[in-house]
Amino acid sequence: MKNLLHLTFILSIVIVFGLNTFGQQQFGIKVSGGLSQITNSMKSSNYNITPSFVPSGLGGLYCNLSLGKNISFGTELIFSQIEGKEELVVERIMMEGNNLGHFTGITYRHISYLSLPVYFGYTIKRLTINGGFQISYALASSGRKKENLTFYGFPRDETNSSNVKIDDIYIKKFDFGPRAGIVYHLTDRLAVEGTYYYGIHNIQNEDPEYGEWKVQQMTLGIRYSLWSKEAAQ
């Protein structure tokens, strides 16, 4: 994985800064907000796990290089905040055939990534459609668990609650997967952008019994060109 990250970074630098004979070069900043989700493949007939999309965002730098009339190459260096939320419900806590109670828990996960997307784009008038892949390195992670355990009893039920902060959620440092985007150019400098990323790597690094965790993120934002020029002929 580290070798792939190094190769992707070097390839991006070579293409963007080395191919000065091609078209227009553009460098700028971007910021986006949207939704993210960390899926969990763990399943059982005794409980249900329901992941949810929650607000997230990203921001950073981008660089585009025109390779022809309609074709372009792009790369970015972005900071992305991935948020995840999942609800775990155990309908029946059984012992010796008796239903003793039920359990509900909500887990929040936060991951800060430094990401390097690379992609090719095709432009039709003001609209650019691009696709490629993204490699990310986790800078930090944290989480929180809120749990309620209810026991059925007489004369009344009893509920125990907890709210625990998690300083490290023990994920793998690297993530990667396909990335697609649409850019609509409002002016020569300002554009609206939508992106979708799907991580195909299992980032869960604790126990295989906990299932596979995978990242998804969709965003909508703006990008602004700080500098552009025509390549030297």
Side-chain angles (χ1 to χ4, degrees):
M1 176 60 66
K2 291 183 178 180
N3 291 335
L4 180 59
L5 179 63
H6 294 159
L7 178 61
T8 302
F9 181 77
I10 293 172
L11 179 62
S12 302
I13 296 298
V14 169
I15 292 178
V16 172
F17 295 103
L19 299 181
N20 291 321
T21 59
F22 288 88
Q24 187 182 48
Q25 301 169 43
Q26 190 177 69
F27 174 81
I29 59 176
K30 59 177 289 181
V31 61
S32 299
L35 300 172
S36 64
Q37 177 180 252
I38 303 175
T39 61
N40 189 336
S41 66
M42 187 169 60
K43 295 180 180 180
S44 172
S45 59
N46 190 42
Y47 57 76
N48 297 314
I49 294 179
T50 306
S52 302
F53 279 99
V54 289
S56 67
L58 59 83
L61 307 173
Y62 74 89
C63 186
N64 280 347
L65 178 66
S66 176
L67 302 179
K69 183 178 179 180
N70 302 104
I71 306 297
S72 61
F73 171 84
T75 185
E76 301 173 8
L77 185 64
I78 57 176
F79 174 83
S80 56
Q81 183 67 38
I82 299 295
E83 306 289 339
K85 174 186 175 182
E86 69 178 32
E87 183 177 6
L88 169 64
V89 178
V90 182
E91 298 290 351
R92 295 177 298 276
I93 300 175
M94 307 295 294
M95 182 176 292
E96 298 180 354
N98 296 317
N99 185 7
L100 302 182
H102 71 273
F103 171 88
T104 60
I106 298 178
T107 301
Y108 300 91
R109 299 185 178 98
H110 318 277
I111 309 174
S112 299
Y113 280 114
L114 185 64
S115 301
L116 180 69
V118 291
Y119 47 84
F120 288 94
Y122 185 80
T123 301
I124 306 172
K125 295 183 178 179
R126 290 182 174 271
L127 183 67
T128 299
I129 302 172
N130 58 60
F133 65 96
Q134 175 177 303
I135 295 178
S136 301
Y137 180 81
L139 301 175
S141 66
S142 63
R144 183 172 293 278
K145 286 187 176 181
K146 297 182 178 180
E147 300 177 342
N148 292 291
L149 178 60
T150 299
F151 290 101
Y152 302 139
F154 182 83
R156 62 181 180 274
D157 298 341
E158 180 179 338
T159 299
N160 297 320
S161 301
S162 65
N163 188 340
V164 180
K165 182 180 179 181
I166 306 168
D167 293 328
D168 191 333
I169 60 176
Y170 302 109
I171 58 170
K172 298 173 183 176
K173 288 296 185 181
F174 287 96
D175 185 35
F176 62 92
R179 176 194 180 277
I182 298 177
V183 180
Y184 185 78
H185 302 271
L186 301 174
T187 68
D188 290 340
R189 289 185 176 271
L190 183 64
V192 177
E193 177 185 45
T195 65
Y196 176 74
Y197 169 73
Y198 183 83
I200 60 175
H201 185 50
N202 173 25
I203 64 171
Q204 196 269 116
N205 199 31
E206 289 190 85
D207 190 323
E209 293 185 357
Y210 293 165
E212 294 185 352
W213 299 353
K214 295 184 179 180
V215 171
Q216 296 182 58
Q217 186 179 40
M218 57 186 75
T219 64
L220 180 65
I222 60 173
R223 50 198 292 168
Y224 184 79
S225 174
L226 298 174
W227 171 87
S228 65
K229 75 168 186 176
E230 295 291 335
Q233 303 295 322

